[in-house]
Structures are given as structure tokens and as C-alpha cells.
Amino acid sequence: SVTISDGCSISTPSATAVFTVVVNPRPRFKIQPDSIKGCAPQTVNFYATSTSTAYNGSNDNYFWVFGNDDNANGNAPMYTYQSPGTYSVQVTATNSFGCTRTITKQNFAKIYPVPVAGFYAIPQTTTLFNPLITFTNQSIGASSFYWEFGDYDSKNNTSNLINPKHEYNLVGNYTAYLVAINQYGCRDTANYMISIEPDLTVYIPNAFTPDENGRNDKFLVYGMGIDEEKFKMEIFDRWGELIHSTTQIKEGWDGKVRGFDIKAEDGVYVYKILITDLTGKKKTYVGHVTLLK
């Protein structure tokens, strides 16, 4: 207010004028989270909440700048930092009176790089005769490694070596995984398919000595890649008469005739052996074995 007088208080009274000045409140608010650390790409949910006690700030408008050329409006934007780096965040709130307040968070977001996992295996496809696989690590930007070979029946299914080796003991397709980890704990995963195929090898002796001395007492078939549940062996004498038959590969022939305690005479006998490999393929072997007591 202002009062003015010309000094003639008797003839001219003083005059007073009043003008009202309105001071509106500025916004008051807080933002969450206070900071963020993570691996790229890192998605952040931002929140701005009014803390004003001078008015209801629920209708305040917020403008966000995320430390690069990207920005957004609203009190709860979501933003994904795609690239590694350190970013500051600036938020400007505007209330219904047109008043503003800006909060700047320096070095708000620390986004770490992610390693690139990669490897290859030699050989990628092999058989049970050569089941040792060598893994060569091609990862970039990693400081530690975790391998899982997909061989869950093995006690050595995992490794932390840079370039490990693993031996597979069963036929099948295996998916090997590599997790590459850097000093920030960021990680990447790669996988590779390993195929272990069956391979059939059969050894049939040409003589045995069933003299019960504990050495070479049975005529047995040996090999790898044999389906033992689909095995059959028949023994014939020189007249073509069947004197022994079995479907148990480990039973073999102990020289007895038709299972009796009578041992066959020394001589040459004909065998006929049916073998099925692990893929279901069948093969018949016919030959001679010499019995010597």
C-alpha cells in the first residue's frame, strides 16, 4: 500500500492506494530411484512424487531429460538405456500456477558394458570311439567363465576354465552352454550343439579253451555300440546241428552241448551271431571257432 499527502492537511486530506501482489508456490517434489547401476540394456522405471504442503501437487506436470537426446513427460516414465555410459537426469516440474522447479541428478545412471560370449567345439560331431571334445573360447570383454556341457549324467558337467575339454560317454545330442561374465557382473550366454553318434565295433575270437582254469574259458563276443537286448548267438557242430544258443552277450558259450555238463569235443565249430547296433541296424556274422580243452 502507499499513502500520499500534499502537506495541506486541512484543505486536502492524504490519499491511500492498495495493490495486491500474489506470490504463488513453486513445486516441491522428489524422484525415485535415487540412482541406478546395471548392465546394458538397462530399463529404469522413474517416479516423481509431489511433496508440496502449500497446495495439492497431484496435477503437476513433469518433463524428464535422461542424459542424452531422449526425454519424456509424466510422473512415471520408463526408459531403457541401450548403451554403456554414465548419465545425468534432469526433471522439471510445472504446477497449475505456472511455477517451475528443476532437479538435476548428476551421474544418476551408470550403465555397464556386456561381454559377448562365443565358442566353438572340435569335433562337433563324433562317435563313442573319440568322445573327447575340445572347446575354444571366443568371448570378448569377459573376465570369468562358466561352462555347462549338457552331459547331466556326468560328474564333470561344468567347468570354469577358459578352454576346457569334456568327454561324453553316451550317445546323444548335447547342448553345451558358455556364460561369459565381466568385472561388473554383466553376462552373456552362448550355446553349441554336440552330437555323439554310435559306432559299431565287434571282436569275435577264433578259439577258446574251456578247461576251467579261469583263462579264456568262454567263447565271448566283444565290442562297442552293441544293443545287448537284441543280441543272438548260435553254435553249430560240423554236421550243422545246433548245440548252443543264447541271447545274452555276456553268457557266451562255455563249450557245453545244449546246456548239459557234457563238453563238446575238440574241434572247429560254426557260429552265427546277430548283432544290432544302437541305431537299430542289424548285422550277421558267420564264422568258425576252435574249441581246445
Side-chain angles (χ1 to χ4, degrees):
S1 61
V2 60
T3 300
I4 185 171
S5 173
D6 61 0
C8 301
S9 58
I10 297 176
S11 60
T12 305
S14 61
T16 300
V18 176
F19 183 81
T20 301
V21 177
V22 179
V23 180
N24 292 316
R26 296 173 65 195
R28 302 183 66 85
F29 64 97
K30 63 180 181 180
I31 63 173
Q32 292 177 317
D34 292 331
S35 63
I36 187 69
K37 295 180 180 180
C39 305
Q42 179 69 47
T43 298
V44 184
N45 292 304
F46 293 93
Y47 299 95
T49 305
S50 173
T51 59
S52 176
T53 58
Y55 69 98
N56 182 0
S58 61
N59 294 321
D60 289 357
N61 295 316
Y62 299 92
F63 179 74
W64 301 74
V65 179
F66 298 113
N68 46 31
D69 293 333
D70 294 333
N71 55 69
N73 290 289
N75 67 329
M78 182 175 68
Y79 182 72
T80 299
Y81 290 94
Q82 299 288 350
S83 301
T86 301
Y87 300 88
S88 298
V89 171
Q90 186 180 83
V91 189
T92 299
T94 304
N95 61 19
S96 57
F97 305 106
C99 301
T100 64
R101 183 187 296 272
T102 298
I103 293 178
T104 300
K105 293 281 189 177
Q106 299 291 344
N107 302 324
F108 167 82
K110 293 184 178 180
I111 309 302
Y112 301 123
V114 176
V116 178
F119 69 98
Y120 64 89
I122 295 177
Q124 182 179 7
T125 301
T126 186
T127 68
L128 285 175
F129 290 128
N130 183 31
L132 183 64
I133 308 299
T134 299
F135 294 90
T136 300
N137 196 331
Q138 294 183 304
S139 301
I140 300 173
S143 56
S144 62
F145 307 95
Y146 173 77
W147 296 83
E148 187 173 288
F149 303 114
D151 190 5
Y152 301 108
D153 292 324
S154 172
K155 295 181 180 179
N156 302 312
N157 185 46
T158 62
S159 176
N160 296 110
L161 298 176
I162 297 176
N163 298 301
K165 295 181 180 181
H166 182 73
E167 185 173 296
Y168 294 89
N169 295 315
L170 297 174
V171 171
N173 293 319
Y174 300 87
T175 302
Y177 293 90
L178 167 62
V179 181
I181 308 165
N182 65 13
Q183 66 268 35
Y184 305 108
C186 302
R187 59 187 59 202
D188 187 37
T189 302
N191 62 75
Y192 202 86
M193 180 68 73
I194 306 297
S195 180
I196 307 298
E197 299 179 347
D199 204 345
L200 180 66
T201 179
V202 179
Y203 170 68
I204 302 175
N206 58 13
F208 74 114
T209 56
D211 52 8
E212 299 181 0
N213 67 351
R215 293 177 298 176
N216 199 28
D217 285 335
K218 287 186 176 182
F219 173 58
L220 293 168
V221 176
Y222 304 92
M224 294 181 61
I226 299 173
D227 187 345
E228 295 187 5
E229 295 183 356
K230 298 179 180 180
F231 173 83
K232 185 176 182 181
M233 180 172 70
E234 296 176 328
I235 306 295
F236 301 88
D237 61 18
R238 56 184 174 178
W239 295 284
E241 186 175 355
L242 178 66
I243 60 174
H244 180 74
S245 178
T246 182
T247 57
Q248 304 296 320
I249 189 171
K250 295 180 181 179
E251 177 183 345
W253 181 39
D254 59 4
K256 295 179 180 179
V257 178
R258 300 186 187 89
F260 296 107
D261 288 336
I262 302 174
K263 292 285 183 69
E265 296 295 328
D266 288 4
V268 178
Y269 295 84
V270 176
Y271 62 76
K272 181 179 180 181
I273 299 172
L274 176 64
I275 290 178
T276 303
D277 67 18
L278 298 178
T279 64
K281 296 179 181 179
K282 296 181 179 181
K283 190 171 183 179
T284 301
Y285 296 84
V286 178
H288 299 85
V289 60
T290 300
L291 185 154
L292 299 170
K293 292 196 293 291

